[in-house]
Amino acid sequence: MEEDLVQYIAENLVNSPDEVSIKRKETNRSVVLELSVAPDDMGRVIGRNGRVANSIRALLRAMSSADSERGRDRRRRVILEIE
């Protein structure tokens, strides 16, 4: 679910959407999403001073919080790494 959101956002930001890939790693208390984009598109995903990346992370936190309020899972931290 988190991967779909990040995939959608990243594909709409970059010039090479076919090179967007996401790997998911889970632990007991967290989910790590590794976002890979083409080297030329790295700046578009990170943004000036990291604003775009921080906005994506904020959306992931809000999504995680909403899921825990609905009683789906205990709240797990979602970490976005951009490579």
Side-chain angles (χ1 to χ4, degrees), residues 16-71:
S16 303
D18 53 322
E19 293 191 41
V20 173
S21 68
I22 298 174
K23 293 180 187 172
R24 179 185 180 111
K25 296 181 183 178
E26 292 192 37
T27 64
N28 290 337
R29 299 188 64 142
S30 64
V31 175
V32 178
L33 299 177
E34 295 178 355
L35 172 63
S36 298
V37 296
D40 293 341
D41 291 326
M42 190 67 74
R44 292 178 169 276
V45 174
I46 295 173
R48 181 170 288 159
N49 294 324
R51 288 183 181 156
V52 174
N54 287 335
S55 296
I56 297 170
R57 290 181 179 113
L59 288 171
L60 290 171
R61 276 193 305 274
M63 192 174 177
S64 170
S65 178
D67 283 347
S68 68
E69 287 177 7
R70 290 187 202 125

